[in-house]
Amino acid sequence: MDKSPLTRIALVGVASMACAWLGLLTPALGAFVSLFWPPAGLALASLLRWHWPAAIGVLTGVAAIAILQGASPALACSLAAANLIGPSIAAWGLRRLHFRPDMARRRDLASFVLLGVALGPGISALAGALILLGFGHIVPAEMPRALLSWWGGDALGVLSLGVPLLVLPGLPARPRTEPGTPAKRTAWLASGLLAFATLGSAALVFGLGGQNAAMLSPWLFAPHLLLSWLTLRDGLTLASVTAALLTLLAALSTGVELGPFAAIPLPERLATLWAYTASAAAVPLLANAVLGEMHQEHARWRHALEAAGMGIASWDLVTGEHRASPAWQGFVGTPALQPAAAPTAWLEAVHAMDRVRLLPLVTELLAPHGQAHISETLRLRREGGDWLWFELRMHVEERDARGLAQRLVATLTDVTWKRTAEERERMSVSLFQHLHEGLLITDTDGVVLDANPSYCRIMAQAREALLGHRARPLLLEHLRRSGHSPEQLQQALQAQGHWQGLVSCTRHDGSTCELQLTVSTMPEPEGPARFQVIAVSDMTEQLRRQALLERQRQFDELTGLPNRSEFLRRLELALASSEQQGFMLCVCHLDLDNFAQLAEAEGEARANAALRALSQALHGALRSAEQWSDQLARIGGDEFALLLRCDSLAEARLATERMLNVLRLPIYLDEHSAPLTLTASLGASLFPLDRSSAETLMRHAGHALYRVKRAGRNACEFFDTEKRLRKHADGIALGRMQEALDGGELQLHYQPKVDMRRGRVLGFEALLRWQHPERGLLMPGLFLPLVERTGLGVQIGDWVLDQAMRQSAQWLAQGLQLRVSVNVTARHLQTLDFTQRLRELLARHPEPIARHLMLEVLESAALADVDATHRLIQDCKALGVSFALDDFGTGYSTLTYLKRLPVDALKIDRSFVQNMLIDPHDQALVEGVIGLAKTFGCSVVAEGVESDAHARALLAAGCELGQGSGIAHAMPAERVPEWVAAFEQAPSFGGRRAAAGATKMGIA
């Protein structure tokens, strides 16, 4: 527990007074000079542990005792300072020397004796004697005696009390509640009895007087022997405390003239007593130093063995005691390491196969007059589960007269690395001997040191003829012959440590071969490389086969013509030349007409002969010049490819027609059979009109060939590049539309639907617009026809529905009860999950927007599948959504179809409304639609209301709902609330609601 400085001062002060009082009880050599002065030991120990608080406590305690002994305050303080100066200097020196209080090292014991016992007390004695001389308590003649006596008392105090106080805090702490093991209790009891015996023998010697004391003088040094025993058994702590008590007992007994020194004259008696007690206090120190050195030596050996990876165990076969080092315990584990375990118990941790082998050997080792030692390898399991190899050495150190083993020592050394190295060495030797590659080992000068059998076989030379000869000149000759530079070899070896290359070589028997050489240096742990390894692989047969396979890979086996891959390679080269020189290339895909039937009729042999003849005829028709030539390849069973150089499309057509005419000529396979007549279909693509890659040009030629076959065969057709470009442009436009959808460039404008008679706004139709970053606001007619039949059209339709619903919800939140109409394309309507997606979009909005949503479907789309449209309308109306037929009158509706479609509104197509004023047929059609709507209970909306006259005519015909540019153009959503308010609040004229409605539209 930590103590405050004041507490420490008080403790040291009180202890100093007590120690001084004990010192005054012992024999004295004059005033203020005692033979045994415990405060000196207290001062040194407390200064080493507590520094300056100890100094104040010592000063206070010693000064107080001096005053009690009759000294003046000045003398008392001076004597106290003299008692402190020596221990202070000694403590400072010991700290500088890194003194360890356990004094288990000889250097610590020597430092303590020189500084704590000799120098410190000597300085205090000199200071004290001078103080006593100065205050007149001694005369100069008594100075040497006082100096020696003071030093002796302080030195004895340091030896007797200083040592226990220094080592006492090192006692092992043990909780009081822990009873301890029986072995520990027995050991502590034995130690206590030994200390008691030491003090008892001293009390017996010093407790008697006269004749009896002389009789016991032979036992005078029995306590010294017991102190040595106690130190060797339990260390310095208990022995130093016992020595301190022995010193106090001897001093007190001699002071009352008891003990063996009582008969000696006083000066000699005190000197004898001091020598006796000092030797008693020194015995534990010396024994502890010897024991400490032994322990340190043992620890050094243990650490050295553990650093070497060696575990040690010993068995005392007489007492049954077993000890094992931590390394041994780590190797074997703890189950078989009980203190009384048998020498064979640890074998339970050994691999079963090794245990069966080792158990008889250990038993034989322990048998009477058995062998002295064994050395075996075994396996022990690592904690992770792997088995490691160890070397076991067991040695019987002692045997009794009957030859029975008394003490057994065993060591375990991890030799996994050694075992692994041996296995690798065996594998390396086996690999060297049986490797299919040839291996040649040389020194740095090229002298052959060894060669494996494969090298001798490859080079057709005996191993004995190679050893000791220089291989480097032959190697350099092979390098030069194969176009390699010896300098390159040296640079590669220096930079990378290896070189690899293919060389042509002449064997010892004169035959030539192709060898793959790998020259490597063998790195050394230190210094430059001393050896080189030349690995040789015979590539002769492999290269021959590779060349054959390469030809088979590039050329057709039947005709000898290039195959498809080789033709494409040549086509790519020709395309590069065409780009540089500016000529045109005609890529042709030619297919023989009805060749399968010919092969079936004539047989495989004649069919193959016909193919060879056709190939020769075609090849003979090719043109060639000094720097170029047309190309012919067989790319399939009866398919050929042609690469023709030309300067124009007309020349290309002539060239292809010439090739077809060659194929139309009769083929004579032999003199006895009738000639064969064949035709062919040819598709072509012209570069750079078709600026595509080689693969694409072949594919385009194949497309043209397909069109020829569909048209009747035996003709030639060129690939339509302009049609492909149009498709490509459409693809680019679709991609741009996808970017517009993802980038937020699409937006909705809204055109109002109004009650023309009452002047109220009923709703708005959502119309799609594209805010193009470069072309401005685009109408849907410029982009919707491209996407409405694609999957992108469905995505845009979903987006329009979602945006319209969001806008409807905002208007409802603003108090605008407006119905929003959304156009749905036929493809969008026919998707299988249209109703489900509509339900999910409606579920995103808490407002009841379904009854404010109307879906407008083209009449033609609705009539495509009346039953499916009927089911779809019913499902959507169940969600609360209404339906309208858009552009009604443009399709082929019948009353039966219209009756089966439960729509809510009909929208008259704008073309009829716009022409009704000038065309009686359109006027009649509009009136008929209005009447039909009333018959089926539908509302009717007229599109294309663009003038006052249109509005009046529609009202006269009974149509009250209108929509068109005469009412308002489509507008952004943010302008709708303002427009609605202005429309519905406009003044009316004529007093009639119909006129008021017309006035609001600018009609009246």
Side-chain angles (χ1 to χ4, degrees), residues 38-78:
L42 175 65
L44 179 62
S46 57
L47 283 169
L48 283 172
R49 297 198 177 277
W50 289 346
H51 302 284
W52 64 269
I56 298 176
V58 171
L59 283 173
T60 304
V62 174
I65 287 296
I67 291 174
L68 292 176
Q69 289 294 316
S72 63
L75 177 60
C77 292
S78 300

Side-chain angles (χ1 to χ4, degrees), residues 539-555:
M539 307 293 292
T540 308
E541 185 64 21
Q542 181 177 349
L543 291 176
R544 188 188 66 80
R545 292 177 182 175
Q546 184 177 346
L548 180 60
L549 291 174
E550 185 69 18
R551 177 166 181 80
Q552 292 176 352
R553 187 180 66 84
Q554 295 177 349
F555 294 90

Side-chain angles (χ1 to χ4, degrees), residues 462-610:
R463 178 173 178 270
E464 291 73 15
L466 290 169
L467 299 181
H469 292 80
R470 294 174 63 86
R472 192 173 186 81
L474 183 60
L475 174 62
L476 297 180
E477 178 185 348
H478 297 330
L479 290 174
R480 293 190 185 97
R481 186 189 306 174
S482 305
H484 300 291
S485 169
E487 290 75 15
Q488 293 178 350
L489 170 63
Q490 286 301 120
Q491 292 173 1
L493 290 178
Q494 293 175 2
Q496 305 172 6
H498 68 276
W499 176 89
Q500 191 175 55
L502 187 67
V503 299
S504 297
C505 180
T506 303
R507 294 189 175 97
H508 190 66
D509 59 3
S511 61
T512 59
C513 59
E514 299 291 330
L515 301 180
Q516 179 74 33
L517 292 186
T518 302
V519 183
S520 307
T521 58
M522 297 176 61
E524 294 288 330
E526 295 180 359
R530 297 188 298 152
F531 305 104
Q532 291 181 349
V533 178
I534 302 175
V536 177
S537 298
D538 191 352
M539 307 293 292
T540 308
E541 185 64 21
Q542 181 177 349
L543 291 176
R544 188 188 66 80
R545 292 177 182 175
Q546 184 177 346
L548 180 60
L549 291 174
E550 185 69 18
R551 177 166 181 80
Q552 292 176 352
R553 187 180 66 84
Q554 295 177 349
F555 294 90
D556 177 53
E557 186 176 359
L558 177 64
T559 63
L561 296 175
N563 58 14
R564 182 182 183 87
S565 62
E566 176 64 15
F567 179 78
L568 288 175
R569 186 187 69 82
R570 297 183 181 187
L571 176 56
E572 290 176 353
L573 296 176
L575 292 176
S577 299
S578 174
E579 291 281 4
Q580 295 175 358
Q581 302 177 24
F583 57 85
M584 301 180 75
L585 289 173
C586 182
V587 180
C588 306
H589 190 163
L590 185 147
D591 182 71
L592 299 178
D593 298 332
N594 302 316
F595 188 78
Q597 290 83 345
L598 184 145
E600 183 176 354
E602 298 291 336
E604 182 180 358
R606 288 180 60 81
N608 290 339

Side-chain angles (χ1 to χ4, degrees), residues 292-368:
E293 291 291 336
M294 292 174 60
H295 286 167
Q296 290 179 11
E297 185 69 17
H298 177 73
R300 281 194 292 269
W301 276 107
R302 186 181 71 237
H303 293 157
L305 293 174
E306 291 180 355
M310 183 179 294
I312 303 176
S314 63
W315 289 266
D316 190 329
L317 302 179
V318 178
T319 63
E321 184 180 5
H322 169 45
R323 294 183 180 180
S325 68
W328 179 283
Q329 297 178 24
F331 295 154
V332 176
T334 56
L337 295 178
Q338 301 300 326
T344 56
W346 67 276
L347 292 176
E348 294 297 324
V350 177
H351 192 281
M353 296 178 63
D354 299 332
R355 183 167 60 249
V356 172
R357 174 172 50 87
L358 287 173
L359 191 58
L361 296 177
V362 177
T363 304
E364 183 181 353
L365 182 68
L366 299 176

Side-chain angles (χ1 to χ4, degrees), residues 54 200 234 258 264 359 494 536 542 553 571 651 706 731 877 919 959:
D234 295 288
L258 291 176
I264 303 174
L359 191 58
Q494 293 175 2
V536 177
Q542 181 177 349
R553 187 180 66 84
L571 176 56
E651 184 181 351
Y706 177 73
K877 288 176 71 69
D919 189 339
C959 178

